[in-house]
Amino acid sequence: MTETLVDEFYTARNLLYLGAYPQTLQALAQVTRTSNETEKQTIKYRAYLCQGNYKMVLTDLNPSTSVSPALQALYHLAKYLQSSDNGTKETVEKAVEELIAVQNNLVNGTFVVIASMVLVNLQKYEEALKLLAMHPKNLECIAISVDILLQINRVDMAQKLVARTRGWAEDSPIAQIAEAWANLYVGGNKYMEASYIFEELAQASSVSTACLLNSLAVVKMHLGQLQEAEEILEDALAKESNNPDTLANLVVCANLAAKPLEEKYRYLSQLKDVAPNHPFVIDLDAKDAEFDTLAAKYAK
């Protein structure tokens, strides 16, 4: 990624990272002349995608007419997120693997970011990490790598990556977010450090987004402050009524607080409707299937 691109879309990109999607689109609208229209379009459609506007992305980004590999990958990511059909997932996986196989595509950091997102959703973590390692100075590649390492319980490696990045990108919002994620996994005194990071980001950006509120609520749940976590999540839901992460966290918070089953199932039902491929839904369905298998086995 060149310095020109970093300067040209700096504000829009950081707003995207913070989860301020309407503000991202507003910032992009102010960039009336650009040397890279594809980058602008990619950020725009990522913002729409994050808002759950899958149909718009799929309608506008036809892979047969889109020249940009990044936009093609974004189309397939939207297709994956919209569908719960296994056949669709297989089609998406094959299409993205074909794009990754083209060496020239891998030079583009934006393409690598989006392709890795598809791989993460497919739980192909090793392949995603190899892809992301091709751009060691791309902050979003680093942040996604940290997220993957935490998901596969390599907290030690995630901490080392965060420490290395802090040396040259300490003030970057996405680098701070990655550091806060690592702190959450370490726990103990690190919970408070994570809380400070999320609160400072919200204050500094003057944008208290559902994304930041969710992160803060997770910290509060780890600290046992369930009432405060619930209030923060309700605030997040008021900002984005169909935000999948908010709904998933409300299910968890309700469970921890021993809320009535109806409340938990209401949030879970809404989550399954808006994001059938959300990791929480996939994991829960897998556990339900495993329980049914074991129950049938011991019922004989």
Side-chain angles (χ1 to χ4, degrees):
M1 188 175 296
T2 66
E3 286 297 321
T4 303
L5 288 182
V6 171
D7 292 339
E8 199 171 10
F9 299 110
Y10 178 83
T11 299
R13 192 177 287 108
N14 280 319
L15 286 167
L16 180 72
Y17 298 153
L18 293 170
Y21 309 123
Q23 293 88 339
T24 300
L25 296 171
Q26 290 169 11
L28 285 174
Q30 294 174 10
V31 183
T32 55
R33 293 184 179 181
T34 173
S35 59
N36 195 321
E37 184 64 28
T38 297
E39 185 75 7
K40 182 178 178 180
Q41 292 297 309
T42 303
I43 297 172
K44 180 181 79 172
Y45 284 110
R46 285 182 66 184
Y48 285 134
L49 190 65
C50 289
Q51 290 177 302
N53 292 329
Y54 307 134
K55 186 175 181 180
M56 176 187 289
V57 177
L58 292 171
T59 300
D60 290 1
L61 301 183
N62 189 325
S64 63
T65 58
S66 177
V67 177
S68 163
L71 291 175
Q72 290 182 50
L74 196 58
Y75 170 90
H76 293 299
L77 178 59
K79 193 172 182 180
Y80 174 89
L81 293 173
Q82 185 191 48
S83 176
S84 59
D85 178 65
N86 287 330
T88 300
K89 294 179 184 179
E90 291 173 1
T91 301
V92 167
E93 182 176 358
K94 182 180 178 182
V96 172
E97 285 180 345
E98 288 176 355
L99 289 171
I100 292 171
V102 180
Q103 289 299 309
N104 286 343
N105 292 346
L106 305 181
V107 176
N108 186 290
T110 302
F111 167 76
V112 167
V113 163
I114 299 170
S116 70
M117 288 178 176
V118 176
L119 294 175
V120 169
N121 275 282
L122 293 167
Q123 298 184 350
K124 304 187 76 169
Y125 301 124
E126 186 175 349
E127 291 91 332
L129 284 171
K130 289 179 180 177
L131 199 62
L132 294 163
M134 295 179 178
H135 293 268
K137 289 294 183 178
N138 182 305
L139 286 171
E140 192 167 9
C141 286
I142 292 170
I144 298 172
S145 296
V146 169
D147 182 40
I148 294 171
L149 291 169
L150 294 172
Q151 288 191 54
I152 62 176
N153 295 317
R154 290 308 308 265
V155 181
D156 56 331
M157 292 180 67
Q159 285 181 290
K160 289 177 182 177
L161 185 53
V162 165
R164 287 200 303 270
T165 307
R166 193 188 300 120
W168 57 274
E170 185 176 11
D171 295 332
S172 170
I174 195 167
Q176 293 179 52
I177 290 171
E179 182 176 354
W181 291 340
N183 287 338
L184 268 173
Y185 272 76
V186 173
N189 294 333
K190 293 292 185 179
Y191 285 140
M192 291 309 301
E193 290 185 27
S195 179
Y196 294 147
I197 290 173
F198 292 130
E199 289 173 350
E200 287 178 4
L201 283 171
Q203 292 170 3
S205 64
S206 300
V207 180
S208 181
T209 65
C211 178
L212 289 174
L213 290 173
N214 266 281
S215 299
L216 188 57
V218 171
V219 175
K220 299 299 182 183
M221 282 191 275
H222 279 289
L223 290 170
Q225 300 170 6
L226 300 180
Q227 182 62 40
E228 191 170 350
E230 184 179 6
E231 291 172 0
I232 292 171
L233 289 170
E234 288 174 349
D235 187 11
L237 197 65
K239 293 179 182 297
E240 292 183 37
S241 60
N242 285 326
N243 183 286
D245 290 335
T246 303
L247 294 168
N249 283 323
L250 278 166
V251 173
V252 174
C253 191
N255 190 56
L256 291 172
K259 295 281 185 176
L261 285 175
E262 308 86 68
E263 183 173 334
K264 289 181 275 189
Y265 286 139
R266 183 174 72 250
Y267 293 132
L268 182 58
S269 176
Q270 187 178 349
L271 173 60
K272 289 183 175 181
D273 284 340
V274 301
N277 283 323
H278 192 278
F280 184 86
V281 174
I282 292 173
D283 184 57
L284 190 61
D285 286 345
K287 286 181 170 60
D288 283 342
E290 185 178 359
F291 177 83
D292 291 341
T293 300
L294 290 171
K297 176 181 177 182
Y298 289 105
K300 295 178 180 178

